[in-house]
Amino acid sequence: MGDGFRAEMLLLETFHRYSCADKTKSSFDHHKGTFGMLSVVKFLADQYPMACFENVAKSKLYFLHVYRHEMRLWSLHTPRADVYIMKREWSAVIPAHFGRRDEELIPFTKCFWDICIKLKKTATRIEKMKCEYKFKAKEYRHMTYPSADLSSTIVNPKIERLKEGCHSTGKRDQLPRSSPAI
């Protein structure tokens, strides 16, 4: 994306070793992913404060969470001020036997193509935010931009940083819930 852009569009959280199933660690990792995505949304709003909220709202960020034999892609978007929706996009079994090409490997590979498409859409949306910001910054260089319209004012999640040693105990039973059909 150039110009020193440093926001992450996809966060990854893996879990100790393959097929490890510690519920507390998994739940804590999921909370860390949520924290990370909210932080990036806030970073984008602060980076491009004059970008219209519609572009911020349409910019989805992603979190890839690996747990046990499964990989889940979560997205976060903010359809309106102070509403942050996290949704499980898909879930895929990590192939244990690469000989099962049709049953496991091909669907697993298709998931990564899906990630590429989603990230390209997000990058395009962020590029629109950047262009809009540059245009409005030039337009308002001698005037004050209305603070109520600033995306940095509209997008303002309340983020509490969690520490694994202190906060993981209470997170054990707070696993993400999503439709079983996904």
Short mmCIF file of all heavy atoms in Angstrom, two decimals, residues 100-163:
data_model
loop_
_atom_site.label_atom_id
_atom_site.label_comp_id
_atom_site.label_asym_id
_atom_site.label_seq_id
_atom_site.Cartn_x
_atom_site.Cartn_y
_atom_site.Cartn_z
N ARG A 100 -5.25 -37.21 1.11
CA ARG A 100 -6.69 -37.02 0.91
C ARG A 100 -6.94 -35.70 0.18
O ARG A 100 -7.57 -34.79 0.70
CB ARG A 100 -7.42 -37.01 2.24
CG ARG A 100 -7.37 -38.29 2.98
CD ARG A 100 -8.16 -38.10 4.24
NE ARG A 100 -8.21 -39.30 5.03
CZ ARG A 100 -8.60 -39.32 6.28
NH1 ARG A 100 -8.96 -38.21 6.88
NH2 ARG A 100 -8.64 -40.45 6.95
N ARG A 101 -6.43 -35.63 -1.00
CA ARG A 101 -6.44 -34.40 -1.76
C ARG A 101 -7.85 -33.82 -1.96
O ARG A 101 -8.10 -32.65 -1.69
CB ARG A 101 -5.78 -34.65 -3.11
CG ARG A 101 -5.43 -33.40 -3.82
CD ARG A 101 -4.71 -33.69 -5.11
NE ARG A 101 -5.38 -32.90 -6.09
CZ ARG A 101 -5.81 -33.30 -7.26
NH1 ARG A 101 -5.59 -34.51 -7.64
NH2 ARG A 101 -6.42 -32.50 -8.06
N ASP A 102 -8.76 -34.62 -2.43
CA ASP A 102 -10.10 -34.11 -2.75
C ASP A 102 -10.90 -33.75 -1.51
O ASP A 102 -11.66 -32.80 -1.51
CB ASP A 102 -10.88 -35.15 -3.56
CG ASP A 102 -10.24 -35.36 -4.93
OD1 ASP A 102 -9.52 -34.45 -5.38
OD2 ASP A 102 -10.46 -36.44 -5.52
N GLU A 103 -10.74 -34.52 -0.44
CA GLU A 103 -11.55 -34.31 0.75
C GLU A 103 -11.05 -33.19 1.64
O GLU A 103 -11.83 -32.49 2.26
CB GLU A 103 -11.60 -35.60 1.58
CG GLU A 103 -12.18 -36.78 0.85
CD GLU A 103 -11.54 -38.09 1.31
OE1 GLU A 103 -11.00 -38.14 2.42
OE2 GLU A 103 -11.56 -39.03 0.52
N GLU A 104 -9.73 -33.03 1.74
CA GLU A 104 -9.18 -32.08 2.70
C GLU A 104 -8.33 -30.97 2.08
O GLU A 104 -8.50 -29.81 2.41
CB GLU A 104 -8.35 -32.82 3.75
CG GLU A 104 -9.16 -33.72 4.64
CD GLU A 104 -8.31 -34.44 5.68
OE1 GLU A 104 -7.06 -34.36 5.61
OE2 GLU A 104 -8.88 -35.07 6.56
N LEU A 105 -7.41 -31.34 1.22
CA LEU A 105 -6.43 -30.37 0.74
C LEU A 105 -7.02 -29.31 -0.18
O LEU A 105 -6.74 -28.11 -0.03
CB LEU A 105 -5.27 -31.09 0.05
CG LEU A 105 -4.05 -30.22 -0.28
CD1 LEU A 105 -3.52 -29.56 0.98
CD2 LEU A 105 -2.97 -31.06 -0.94
N ILE A 106 -7.88 -29.71 -1.10
CA ILE A 106 -8.46 -28.74 -2.04
C ILE A 106 -9.36 -27.73 -1.32
O ILE A 106 -9.19 -26.52 -1.52
CB ILE A 106 -9.18 -29.45 -3.21
CG1 ILE A 106 -8.12 -30.15 -4.08
CG2 ILE A 106 -10.00 -28.46 -4.03
CD1 ILE A 106 -8.68 -31.02 -5.17
N PRO A 107 -10.29 -28.17 -0.44
CA PRO A 107 -11.08 -27.16 0.29
C PRO A 107 -10.22 -26.25 1.17
O PRO A 107 -10.49 -25.05 1.29
CB PRO A 107 -12.02 -28.01 1.17
CG PRO A 107 -12.10 -29.32 0.49
CD PRO A 107 -10.77 -29.52 -0.17
N PHE A 108 -9.16 -26.81 1.76
CA PHE A 108 -8.24 -26.02 2.59
C PHE A 108 -7.56 -24.94 1.75
O PHE A 108 -7.47 -23.78 2.15
CB PHE A 108 -7.21 -26.97 3.21
CG PHE A 108 -6.24 -26.32 4.15
CD1 PHE A 108 -6.65 -25.86 5.39
CD2 PHE A 108 -4.91 -26.17 3.79
CE1 PHE A 108 -5.75 -25.28 6.27
CE2 PHE A 108 -4.01 -25.58 4.65
CZ PHE A 108 -4.43 -25.14 5.90
N THR A 109 -7.11 -25.30 0.55
CA THR A 109 -6.45 -24.36 -0.35
C THR A 109 -7.42 -23.27 -0.81
O THR A 109 -7.04 -22.10 -0.91
CB THR A 109 -5.87 -25.11 -1.56
OG1 THR A 109 -5.02 -26.15 -1.08
CG2 THR A 109 -5.06 -24.19 -2.44
N LYS A 110 -8.67 -23.64 -1.07
CA LYS A 110 -9.67 -22.65 -1.50
C LYS A 110 -9.88 -21.58 -0.44
O LYS A 110 -10.16 -20.43 -0.76
CB LYS A 110 -10.99 -23.34 -1.82
CG LYS A 110 -10.97 -24.08 -3.14
CD LYS A 110 -12.32 -24.73 -3.42
CE LYS A 110 -12.30 -25.47 -4.74
NZ LYS A 110 -13.58 -26.15 -4.99
N CYS A 111 -9.73 -21.94 0.83
CA CYS A 111 -9.87 -20.95 1.91
C CYS A 111 -8.83 -19.84 1.78
O CYS A 111 -9.12 -18.68 2.03
CB CYS A 111 -9.73 -21.64 3.27
SG CYS A 111 -11.10 -22.75 3.63
N PHE A 112 -7.61 -20.20 1.39
CA PHE A 112 -6.57 -19.18 1.24
C PHE A 112 -6.83 -18.27 0.05
O PHE A 112 -6.51 -17.08 0.09
CB PHE A 112 -5.19 -19.83 1.18
CG PHE A 112 -4.74 -20.29 2.53
CD1 PHE A 112 -4.89 -21.63 2.90
CD2 PHE A 112 -4.23 -19.40 3.45
CE1 PHE A 112 -4.51 -22.05 4.17
CE2 PHE A 112 -3.85 -19.81 4.71
CZ PHE A 112 -3.99 -21.14 5.07
N TRP A 113 -7.42 -18.81 -1.02
CA TRP A 113 -7.82 -17.96 -2.13
C TRP A 113 -8.89 -16.97 -1.66
O TRP A 113 -8.88 -15.80 -2.05
CB TRP A 113 -8.34 -18.78 -3.31
CG TRP A 113 -7.24 -19.37 -4.13
CD1 TRP A 113 -6.93 -20.69 -4.25
CD2 TRP A 113 -6.28 -18.66 -4.91
NE1 TRP A 113 -5.84 -20.84 -5.06
CE2 TRP A 113 -5.41 -19.61 -5.48
CE3 TRP A 113 -6.07 -17.32 -5.18
CZ2 TRP A 113 -4.36 -19.26 -6.32
CZ3 TRP A 113 -5.01 -16.96 -6.00
CH2 TRP A 113 -4.17 -17.93 -6.57
N ASP A 114 -9.80 -17.45 -0.83
CA ASP A 114 -10.84 -16.59 -0.29
C ASP A 114 -10.22 -15.46 0.54
O ASP A 114 -10.64 -14.30 0.43
CB ASP A 114 -11.82 -17.41 0.57
CG ASP A 114 -12.94 -16.56 1.12
OD1 ASP A 114 -13.68 -15.94 0.32
OD2 ASP A 114 -13.10 -16.53 2.36
N ILE A 115 -9.22 -15.79 1.34
CA ILE A 115 -8.53 -14.76 2.13
C ILE A 115 -7.90 -13.71 1.21
O ILE A 115 -8.02 -12.51 1.46
CB ILE A 115 -7.46 -15.38 3.05
CG1 ILE A 115 -8.13 -16.18 4.18
CG2 ILE A 115 -6.55 -14.30 3.64
CD1 ILE A 115 -7.14 -16.96 5.04
N CYS A 116 -7.26 -14.16 0.14
CA CYS A 116 -6.63 -13.22 -0.80
C CYS A 116 -7.65 -12.25 -1.39
O CYS A 116 -7.40 -11.04 -1.48
CB CYS A 116 -5.93 -13.98 -1.92
SG CYS A 116 -4.47 -14.88 -1.39
N ILE A 117 -8.80 -12.77 -1.78
CA ILE A 117 -9.86 -11.93 -2.36
C ILE A 117 -10.36 -10.92 -1.34
O ILE A 117 -10.52 -9.73 -1.63
CB ILE A 117 -11.02 -12.80 -2.89
CG1 ILE A 117 -10.54 -13.60 -4.11
CG2 ILE A 117 -12.24 -11.96 -3.24
CD1 ILE A 117 -11.46 -14.74 -4.51
N LYS A 118 -10.60 -11.38 -0.11
CA LYS A 118 -11.10 -10.50 0.94
C LYS A 118 -10.08 -9.41 1.27
O LYS A 118 -10.45 -8.25 1.47
CB LYS A 118 -11.44 -11.31 2.19
CG LYS A 118 -12.68 -12.19 2.03
CD LYS A 118 -12.92 -13.00 3.27
CE LYS A 118 -14.06 -13.97 3.16
NZ LYS A 118 -15.32 -13.46 2.67
N LEU A 119 -8.80 -9.76 1.35
CA LEU A 119 -7.77 -8.77 1.67
C LEU A 119 -7.61 -7.75 0.55
O LEU A 119 -7.36 -6.57 0.81
CB LEU A 119 -6.44 -9.46 1.97
CG LEU A 119 -6.41 -10.27 3.25
CD1 LEU A 119 -5.06 -10.96 3.42
CD2 LEU A 119 -6.72 -9.42 4.46
N LYS A 120 -7.78 -8.19 -0.69
CA LYS A 120 -7.69 -7.25 -1.81
C LYS A 120 -8.83 -6.22 -1.72
O LYS A 120 -8.62 -5.03 -1.93
CB LYS A 120 -7.75 -8.00 -3.13
CG LYS A 120 -7.49 -7.12 -4.33
CD LYS A 120 -7.27 -7.94 -5.57
CE LYS A 120 -7.03 -7.07 -6.76
NZ LYS A 120 -5.65 -6.80 -7.03
N LYS A 121 -10.04 -6.66 -1.37
CA LYS A 121 -11.17 -5.74 -1.20
C LYS A 121 -10.90 -4.75 -0.07
O LYS A 121 -11.19 -3.55 -0.19
CB LYS A 121 -12.45 -6.52 -0.91
CG LYS A 121 -13.02 -7.23 -2.12
CD LYS A 121 -14.28 -7.99 -1.74
CE LYS A 121 -14.83 -8.77 -2.92
NZ LYS A 121 -16.01 -9.57 -2.56
N THR A 122 -10.35 -5.25 1.03
CA THR A 122 -10.04 -4.37 2.16
C THR A 122 -8.97 -3.35 1.77
O THR A 122 -9.08 -2.17 2.09
CB THR A 122 -9.58 -5.20 3.38
OG1 THR A 122 -10.66 -6.06 3.77
CG2 THR A 122 -9.20 -4.31 4.55
N ALA A 123 -7.93 -3.80 1.07
CA ALA A 123 -6.86 -2.89 0.64
C ALA A 123 -7.42 -1.81 -0.29
O ALA A 123 -7.04 -0.63 -0.18
CB ALA A 123 -5.75 -3.67 -0.06
N THR A 124 -8.33 -2.18 -1.17
CA THR A 124 -8.96 -1.20 -2.08
C THR A 124 -9.76 -0.17 -1.29
O THR A 124 -9.70 1.03 -1.56
CB THR A 124 -9.88 -1.93 -3.09
OG1 THR A 124 -9.09 -2.85 -3.83
CG2 THR A 124 -10.55 -0.96 -4.03
N ARG A 125 -10.49 -0.64 -0.29
CA ARG A 125 -11.30 0.27 0.55
C ARG A 125 -10.38 1.22 1.33
O ARG A 125 -10.66 2.41 1.44
CB ARG A 125 -12.18 -0.55 1.49
CG ARG A 125 -13.16 0.24 2.30
CD ARG A 125 -14.14 1.02 1.50
NE ARG A 125 -14.99 0.15 0.71
CZ ARG A 125 -15.89 0.59 -0.15
NH1 ARG A 125 -16.08 1.88 -0.30
NH2 ARG A 125 -16.61 -0.24 -0.86
N ILE A 126 -9.30 0.71 1.87
CA ILE A 126 -8.36 1.56 2.62
C ILE A 126 -7.71 2.57 1.69
O ILE A 126 -7.50 3.73 2.07
CB ILE A 126 -7.32 0.69 3.37
CG1 ILE A 126 -8.02 -0.11 4.48
CG2 ILE A 126 -6.21 1.56 3.95
CD1 ILE A 126 -7.15 -1.17 5.14
N GLU A 127 -7.41 2.16 0.47
CA GLU A 127 -6.84 3.08 -0.51
C GLU A 127 -7.83 4.21 -0.80
O GLU A 127 -7.44 5.37 -0.93
CB GLU A 127 -6.48 2.33 -1.79
CG GLU A 127 -5.65 3.13 -2.76
CD GLU A 127 -4.30 3.56 -2.22
OE1 GLU A 127 -3.65 2.80 -1.48
OE2 GLU A 127 -3.88 4.69 -2.55
N LYS A 128 -9.14 3.89 -0.86
CA LYS A 128 -10.17 4.93 -1.05
C LYS A 128 -10.19 5.89 0.13
O LYS A 128 -10.34 7.10 -0.05
CB LYS A 128 -11.55 4.29 -1.22
CG LYS A 128 -11.77 3.66 -2.57
CD LYS A 128 -13.18 3.09 -2.68
CE LYS A 128 -13.38 2.43 -4.02
NZ LYS A 128 -14.72 1.83 -4.15
N MET A 129 -10.04 5.34 1.34
CA MET A 129 -10.00 6.20 2.53
C MET A 129 -8.82 7.16 2.44
O MET A 129 -8.95 8.35 2.74
CB MET A 129 -9.86 5.34 3.80
CG MET A 129 -11.09 4.56 4.17
SD MET A 129 -10.79 3.36 5.48
CE MET A 129 -10.23 4.40 6.81
N LYS A 130 -7.69 6.64 2.03
CA LYS A 130 -6.47 7.45 1.91
C LYS A 130 -6.65 8.57 0.88
O LYS A 130 -6.32 9.73 1.15
CB LYS A 130 -5.31 6.53 1.52
CG LYS A 130 -4.00 7.21 1.32
CD LYS A 130 -2.97 6.16 0.97
CE LYS A 130 -1.85 6.75 0.19
NZ LYS A 130 -0.91 5.74 -0.27
N CYS A 131 -7.19 8.24 -0.28
CA CYS A 131 -7.41 9.24 -1.33
C CYS A 131 -8.40 10.30 -0.89
O CYS A 131 -8.19 11.50 -1.11
CB CYS A 131 -7.90 8.57 -2.62
SG CYS A 131 -6.65 7.56 -3.41
N GLU A 132 -9.48 9.85 -0.26
CA GLU A 132 -10.48 10.80 0.23
C GLU A 132 -9.89 11.71 1.29
O GLU A 132 -10.14 12.92 1.30
CB GLU A 132 -11.67 10.02 0.80
CG GLU A 132 -12.79 10.91 1.26
CD GLU A 132 -13.96 10.11 1.80
OE1 GLU A 132 -13.76 9.01 2.35
OE2 GLU A 132 -15.08 10.61 1.67
N TYR A 133 -9.09 11.15 2.17
CA TYR A 133 -8.44 11.95 3.21
C TYR A 133 -7.54 13.01 2.59
O TYR A 133 -7.59 14.18 2.97
CB TYR A 133 -7.64 11.05 4.15
CG TYR A 133 -6.73 11.84 5.06
CD1 TYR A 133 -7.24 12.58 6.12
CD2 TYR A 133 -5.36 11.86 4.84
CE1 TYR A 133 -6.41 13.32 6.94
CE2 TYR A 133 -4.53 12.60 5.66
CZ TYR A 133 -5.05 13.32 6.70
OH TYR A 133 -4.22 14.06 7.51
N LYS A 134 -6.72 12.62 1.61
CA LYS A 134 -5.81 13.58 0.96
C LYS A 134 -6.59 14.69 0.28
O LYS A 134 -6.22 15.87 0.37
CB LYS A 134 -4.92 12.85 -0.05
CG LYS A 134 -3.81 12.07 0.58
CD LYS A 134 -2.93 11.45 -0.48
CE LYS A 134 -1.74 10.76 0.13
NZ LYS A 134 -0.84 10.20 -0.88
N PHE A 135 -7.68 14.33 -0.38
CA PHE A 135 -8.51 15.33 -1.08
C PHE A 135 -9.11 16.31 -0.07
O PHE A 135 -9.04 17.52 -0.25
CB PHE A 135 -9.61 14.63 -1.88
CG PHE A 135 -10.56 15.58 -2.53
CD1 PHE A 135 -10.21 16.25 -3.70
CD2 PHE A 135 -11.81 15.82 -1.97
CE1 PHE A 135 -11.10 17.13 -4.30
CE2 PHE A 135 -12.70 16.71 -2.57
CZ PHE A 135 -12.34 17.36 -3.73
N LYS A 136 -9.70 15.79 1.00
CA LYS A 136 -10.34 16.67 1.99
C LYS A 136 -9.31 17.48 2.77
O LYS A 136 -9.58 18.62 3.15
CB LYS A 136 -11.21 15.85 2.95
CG LYS A 136 -12.49 15.39 2.30
CD LYS A 136 -13.38 14.69 3.29
CE LYS A 136 -14.67 14.24 2.64
NZ LYS A 136 -15.52 13.49 3.58
N ALA A 137 -8.14 16.92 3.02
CA ALA A 137 -7.10 17.67 3.72
C ALA A 137 -6.67 18.89 2.91
O ALA A 137 -6.43 19.96 3.46
CB ALA A 137 -5.90 16.76 4.00
N LYS A 138 -6.59 18.70 1.60
CA LYS A 138 -6.25 19.82 0.71
C LYS A 138 -7.38 20.85 0.69
O LYS A 138 -7.15 22.05 0.77
CB LYS A 138 -6.02 19.27 -0.70
CG LYS A 138 -4.95 19.96 -1.47
CD LYS A 138 -4.80 19.38 -2.86
CE LYS A 138 -3.74 18.32 -2.84
NZ LYS A 138 -3.43 17.80 -4.18
N GLU A 139 -8.61 20.35 0.60
CA GLU A 139 -9.79 21.22 0.53
C GLU A 139 -9.97 22.04 1.80
O GLU A 139 -10.37 23.21 1.75
CB GLU A 139 -11.03 20.33 0.30
CG GLU A 139 -12.30 21.07 0.01
CD GLU A 139 -13.45 20.11 -0.26
OE1 GLU A 139 -13.26 19.14 -1.02
OE2 GLU A 139 -14.53 20.32 0.32
N TYR A 140 -9.68 21.46 2.95
CA TYR A 140 -9.89 22.13 4.24
C TYR A 140 -8.60 22.67 4.87
O TYR A 140 -8.57 22.94 6.05
CB TYR A 140 -10.57 21.16 5.22
CG TYR A 140 -12.04 20.99 4.99
CD1 TYR A 140 -12.52 20.00 4.14
CD2 TYR A 140 -12.96 21.84 5.61
CE1 TYR A 140 -13.87 19.85 3.92
CE2 TYR A 140 -14.32 21.69 5.39
CZ TYR A 140 -14.77 20.70 4.54
OH TYR A 140 -16.11 20.55 4.32
N ARG A 141 -7.57 22.83 4.09
CA ARG A 141 -6.29 23.26 4.68
C ARG A 141 -6.35 24.63 5.33
O ARG A 141 -5.59 24.92 6.25
CB ARG A 141 -5.17 23.16 3.67
CG ARG A 141 -5.23 24.15 2.56
CD ARG A 141 -4.02 24.00 1.61
NE ARG A 141 -4.23 24.78 0.42
CZ ARG A 141 -4.61 24.29 -0.74
NH1 ARG A 141 -4.79 23.01 -0.87
NH2 ARG A 141 -4.80 25.08 -1.77
N HIS A 142 -7.28 25.49 4.88
CA HIS A 142 -7.39 26.82 5.46
C HIS A 142 -8.65 26.98 6.32
O HIS A 142 -8.96 28.07 6.77
CB HIS A 142 -7.39 27.89 4.36
CG HIS A 142 -6.15 27.87 3.55
ND1 HIS A 142 -4.90 28.14 4.06
CD2 HIS A 142 -5.94 27.57 2.24
CE1 HIS A 142 -4.00 28.04 3.12
NE2 HIS A 142 -4.60 27.68 1.99
N MET A 143 -9.38 25.88 6.52
CA MET A 143 -10.60 25.90 7.32
C MET A 143 -10.55 24.75 8.33
O MET A 143 -9.75 23.83 8.19
CB MET A 143 -11.83 25.70 6.43
CG MET A 143 -12.04 26.76 5.38
SD MET A 143 -13.46 26.36 4.36
CE MET A 143 -12.76 25.18 3.22
N THR A 144 -11.43 24.81 9.28
CA THR A 144 -11.52 23.73 10.27
C THR A 144 -12.55 22.72 9.78
O THR A 144 -13.68 23.08 9.46
CB THR A 144 -11.97 24.28 11.64
OG1 THR A 144 -11.04 25.30 12.02
CG2 THR A 144 -11.99 23.18 12.68
N TYR A 145 -12.15 21.47 9.72
CA TYR A 145 -13.06 20.39 9.31
C TYR A 145 -14.01 20.12 10.47
O TYR A 145 -13.59 20.07 11.63
CB TYR A 145 -12.25 19.14 8.97
CG TYR A 145 -13.06 18.06 8.30
CD1 TYR A 145 -13.39 18.15 6.95
CD2 TYR A 145 -13.52 16.96 9.01
CE1 TYR A 145 -14.14 17.17 6.34
CE2 TYR A 145 -14.27 15.98 8.40
CZ TYR A 145 -14.57 16.09 7.05
OH TYR A 145 -15.31 15.11 6.45
N PRO A 146 -15.30 19.95 10.22
CA PRO A 146 -16.26 19.71 11.31
C PRO A 146 -15.88 18.46 12.12
O PRO A 146 -15.80 17.37 11.58
CB PRO A 146 -17.60 19.49 10.59
CG PRO A 146 -17.40 19.92 9.19
CD PRO A 146 -15.93 19.92 8.92
N SER A 147 -15.63 18.64 13.40
CA SER A 147 -15.13 17.53 14.23
C SER A 147 -16.14 16.40 14.35
O SER A 147 -15.77 15.25 14.52
CB SER A 147 -14.74 18.02 15.62
OG SER A 147 -15.86 18.53 16.29
N ALA A 148 -17.44 16.69 14.23
CA ALA A 148 -18.45 15.64 14.32
C ALA A 148 -18.37 14.67 13.14
O ALA A 148 -18.80 13.53 13.23
CB ALA A 148 -19.84 16.25 14.39
N ASP A 149 -17.79 15.13 12.02
CA ASP A 149 -17.68 14.30 10.83
C ASP A 149 -16.37 13.52 10.76
O ASP A 149 -16.18 12.72 9.85
CB ASP A 149 -17.82 15.15 9.57
CG ASP A 149 -19.21 15.76 9.45
OD1 ASP A 149 -20.14 15.23 10.07
OD2 ASP A 149 -19.34 16.76 8.72
N LEU A 150 -15.48 13.76 11.68
CA LEU A 150 -14.19 13.08 11.66
C LEU A 150 -14.37 11.59 11.98
O LEU A 150 -14.99 11.24 12.98
CB LEU A 150 -13.22 13.69 12.68
CG LEU A 150 -12.66 15.07 12.36
CD1 LEU A 150 -11.88 15.60 13.55
CD2 LEU A 150 -11.77 15.01 11.13
N SER A 151 -13.82 10.73 11.13
CA SER A 151 -13.93 9.29 11.41
C SER A 151 -13.20 8.94 12.69
O SER A 151 -13.58 8.01 13.40
CB SER A 151 -13.40 8.46 10.23
OG SER A 151 -12.05 8.74 9.98
N SER A 152 -12.17 9.70 13.05
CA SER A 152 -11.46 9.44 14.31
C SER A 152 -12.33 9.74 15.53
O SER A 152 -12.09 9.20 16.61
CB SER A 152 -10.16 10.24 14.38
OG SER A 152 -10.43 11.61 14.27
N THR A 153 -13.35 10.58 15.36
CA THR A 153 -14.30 10.85 16.44
C THR A 153 -15.41 9.81 16.45
O THR A 153 -15.85 9.35 17.50
CB THR A 153 -14.93 12.25 16.26
OG1 THR A 153 -13.88 13.21 16.18
CG2 THR A 153 -15.85 12.61 17.40
N ILE A 154 -15.86 9.42 15.27
CA ILE A 154 -16.96 8.45 15.14
C ILE A 154 -16.51 7.05 15.56
O ILE A 154 -17.22 6.35 16.28
CB ILE A 154 -17.48 8.43 13.69
CG1 ILE A 154 -18.08 9.80 13.33
CG2 ILE A 154 -18.52 7.33 13.50
CD1 ILE A 154 -18.39 9.96 11.86
N VAL A 155 -15.33 6.63 15.11
CA VAL A 155 -14.82 5.30 15.43
C VAL A 155 -13.96 5.43 16.68
O VAL A 155 -12.85 5.92 16.64
CB VAL A 155 -13.98 4.71 14.26
CG1 VAL A 155 -13.41 3.37 14.65
CG2 VAL A 155 -14.82 4.62 13.02
N ASN A 156 -14.51 4.99 17.79
CA ASN A 156 -13.79 5.13 19.05
C ASN A 156 -14.12 3.97 19.99
O ASN A 156 -14.82 4.13 20.98
CB ASN A 156 -14.17 6.47 19.69
CG ASN A 156 -13.21 6.86 20.78
OD1 ASN A 156 -12.10 6.33 20.86
ND2 ASN A 156 -13.63 7.77 21.64
N PRO A 157 -13.62 2.77 19.65
CA PRO A 157 -13.93 1.62 20.50
C PRO A 157 -13.28 1.73 21.87
O PRO A 157 -12.20 2.31 22.01
CB PRO A 157 -13.36 0.43 19.73
CG PRO A 157 -12.28 1.02 18.89
CD PRO A 157 -12.71 2.42 18.57
N LYS A 158 -13.96 1.21 22.86
CA LYS A 158 -13.40 1.15 24.20
C LYS A 158 -12.59 -0.14 24.27
O LYS A 158 -13.14 -1.23 24.25
CB LYS A 158 -14.51 1.12 25.27
CG LYS A 158 -15.53 2.23 25.13
CD LYS A 158 -14.90 3.60 25.31
CE LYS A 158 -15.92 4.70 25.20
NZ LYS A 158 -15.94 5.44 23.98
N ILE A 159 -11.28 0.00 24.30
CA ILE A 159 -10.40 -1.16 24.23
C ILE A 159 -9.68 -1.33 25.57
O ILE A 159 -9.04 -0.40 26.06
CB ILE A 159 -9.35 -0.99 23.10
CG1 ILE A 159 -10.07 -0.81 21.76
CG2 ILE A 159 -8.42 -2.19 23.05
CD1 ILE A 159 -9.14 -0.45 20.61
N GLU A 160 -9.80 -2.50 26.13
CA GLU A 160 -9.09 -2.83 27.36
C GLU A 160 -8.06 -3.89 27.03
O GLU A 160 -8.39 -4.96 26.54
CB GLU A 160 -10.07 -3.39 28.40
CG GLU A 160 -9.37 -3.80 29.68
CD GLU A 160 -10.33 -4.46 30.66
OE1 GLU A 160 -11.52 -4.16 30.64
OE2 GLU A 160 -9.85 -5.29 31.44
N ARG A 161 -6.83 -3.57 27.25
CA ARG A 161 -5.77 -4.53 26.94
C ARG A 161 -5.76 -5.64 27.98
O ARG A 161 -5.76 -5.39 29.18
CB ARG A 161 -4.42 -3.83 26.91
CG ARG A 161 -3.33 -4.79 26.50
CD ARG A 161 -2.09 -4.04 26.07
NE ARG A 161 -1.05 -4.97 25.78
CZ ARG A 161 -0.74 -5.38 24.56
NH1 ARG A 161 -1.42 -4.94 23.54
NH2 ARG A 161 0.23 -6.23 24.37
N LEU A 162 -5.74 -6.86 27.50
CA LEU A 162 -5.74 -8.02 28.38
C LEU A 162 -4.33 -8.58 28.51
O LEU A 162 -3.55 -8.55 27.56
CB LEU A 162 -6.65 -9.11 27.81
CG LEU A 162 -8.11 -8.73 27.60
CD1 LEU A 162 -8.85 -9.85 26.90
CD2 LEU A 162 -8.76 -8.42 28.92
N LYS A 163 -4.03 -9.11 29.67
CA LYS A 163 -2.75 -9.77 29.90
C LYS A 163 -3.04 -11.23 30.23
O LYS A 163 -3.87 -11.53 31.08
CB LYS A 163 -1.99 -9.10 31.04
CG LYS A 163 -1.57 -7.69 30.70
CD LYS A 163 -0.78 -7.07 31.82
CE LYS A 163 -0.44 -5.64 31.45
NZ LYS A 163 -0.04 -4.86 32.59
#
